[in-house]
Amino acid sequence: MRLSEEGLNAVLAQALVAALVVDQRGIICFANAAAEQAFGYPAPDMLGHPLELLIPPSLRDAHRRGFDRFMLSPSPVTLTPRPTLRALHRDGHEFLIDIRLSPIETEAGPRVYCVVQDVSRQRRLEEEHDKALLDLTQAKAEAEAASAMKSWFIGAAGHDLRRPLQAAQAYLSVMEQKLEYGELEDIAVKTRQSLAAMASILDVLLDLGQIDSGTIKPRIADFRLGELVQRVIASCQPQAAIKDLRLTCEGEDPVVRSDPALLERIVTNFVGNAVRYTESGGVSVSCEAADDVVRLSVSDTGIGIPPESLATIFDDYVQLGNLARDRQRGMGLGLSIAKRLAQALGHSISVRSTPGEGSTFTVEIPEGHGDSKRRAEQRDVPIQSPASTSGTFLLVDDDSNIRESLAMLLETFGMTVHTAANGAEALALIAGGLRPDMILTDYRLPGYDGLEVIARVRGALNSEVPAILITGDMAPRSAAHPANFALLYKPFSAEELRTLIEKMRRKPGPKLTLVSST
């Protein structure tokens, strides 16, 4: 059907987008008001001129060739903006365009209907968006790299700082065994307190760094809660005994689903905090299962928490009644760490308190698979008397100070100690006839690590010799379960080492034990 040129122009005149009509030679026959605004020319100034009037000079030859090809086989086509698809404004500035070409038969002959849209602003916004997205991606990559570097630094700093602390504590323990004068003993005690405070601060700061950087990844498993609670109470019993506090556990022994190591840190922080703020009476740990949730609560008869402080009790550096910042009472980060760990595990924590009567801290844990009806007998947890630690020890550590100080310390326990700087030296001792009763090895060693030292020594002896792995980082935790050994974190005290040795020697075979000095 042939259209009248006048009718076509009348329709296009009402269009809201720039519309041009050109003949088969590319001469402009019509321009609507939107085209006038887009190109800056009055319509009469465009009529009769070739379409190249609206094309930048550098692109006119290419445009002419393209238009001629289009006229050889005209069909509707839409051209989207690219570096060479630009138009020229009357004032000389260029702008990106979308253009749609449609051939039309009119009574006056073939015509091409051109719809032109200025997309410069749209493209500029897209480029800004792309740049912002690129900047965001780059910033994210840089943040992830910084986080990875931070995680590496935390691990390296923790390992390196704990080594001299460990050697200092071991040397001090040996010195205390040899002191005869009361004044020197008092100095040794104060030195030990300072070292313990330094170790505690280091552990807390490294814990926060690992949590905030995402280094700590929960390892979820089903396990009974009772044994975890007993371990926590046993570790806090010495501090409770100093204040003559009664430390008890009661309630059920349910199966829960959580990360046992991280949950133990939460409960340890709760119990340790309760002991710290309780001067008389006691601290009790209870477990109750209901509605697929296990509520573990730690209650004390301490000073309580004012209502106005309940909202901030889990914030960093909050310590009630410690305005002078006495570091012997901690840094005020225990509950903050507990909150972060609970968030990492997906557990909720809460607190109830009455000033002057005491507080109850609760963590809610998903119930695991298994029989959760068994109840834990209510009882006090006594401090066990030391057992004999005589025997032969194989001590492996590449740090000469730690190797020497721990050897001296073990000898004060009554042990015969053979030392090696690495796995190769340890195996050479075994090949020479050494038959140790226990292995104590550092985790990070040159050649191969402490886990492999334990495995190779046991293989050479064809015996599951009790073994303790000592470490200043969290690396062995993931590999701990299948290796059948005890794990002891630096810096540890002489009493922690003695207690662990006694515990392992009382058992028929070694089992994994997690011991923390925090």
Side-chain angles (χ1 to χ4, degrees), residues 4 24 44 54 75 113 266 301-302 353 469:
S4 70
Q24 56 189 346
L54 309 177
S75 61
Y113 165 40
I266 295 174
T301 56
S353 186
L469 185 76

Side-chain angles (χ1 to χ4, degrees), residues 162 199-200 203-204 207 231-232 234-236 239 261 264-265 268-269 471 474 477 487-493 496-497 500 513-518:
R162 281 174 167 140
S200 177
D203 283 341
V204 168
D207 282 347
R231 283 198 305 271
V232 172
S235 69
C236 295
Q239 290 77 22
E264 187 167 335
R265 295 298 300 275
T268 299
N269 278 329
T471 180
M474 303 295 288
R477 187 182 293 273
L487 189 59
L488 188 59
Y489 289 103
K490 300 174 188 176
F492 51 85
S493 66
E496 285 175 316
L497 178 59
L500 180 56
T513 306
L514 296 180
V515 180
S516 174
S517 59
T518 57

Side-chain angles (χ1 to χ4, degrees), residues 235-309:
S235 69
C236 295
Q237 181 64 51
Q239 290 77 22
I242 292 173
K243 303 174 78 170
D244 198 26
L245 299 177
R246 189 166 181 260
L247 193 52
T248 62
C249 62
E250 59 185 2
E252 301 173 357
D253 181 17
V255 175
V256 296
R257 184 163 183 79
S258 183
D259 180 311
L262 300 185
L263 180 60
E264 187 167 335
R265 295 298 300 275
I266 295 174
V267 181
T268 299
N269 278 329
F270 282 177
V271 175
N273 208 60
V275 171
R276 185 176 300 115
Y277 286 98
T278 301
E279 298 302 326
S280 63
V283 176
S284 64
V285 183
S286 63
C287 303
E288 180 185 7
D291 301 325
D292 298 326
V293 173
V294 174
R295 293 176 178 84
L296 186 152
S297 299
V298 177
S299 301
D300 62 61
T301 56
I303 60 175
I305 304 169
E308 64 272 15
S309 299

Side-chain angles (χ1 to χ4, degrees), residues 18-47:
L20 302 168
V21 177
V22 298
D23 63 17
Q24 56 189 346
R25 298 171 300 160
I27 301 300
I28 301 173
C29 303
F30 172 81
N32 68 357
E36 291 180 330
Q37 184 176 1
F39 295 101
Y41 289 97
D45 291 350
M46 290 185 274
L47 301 182

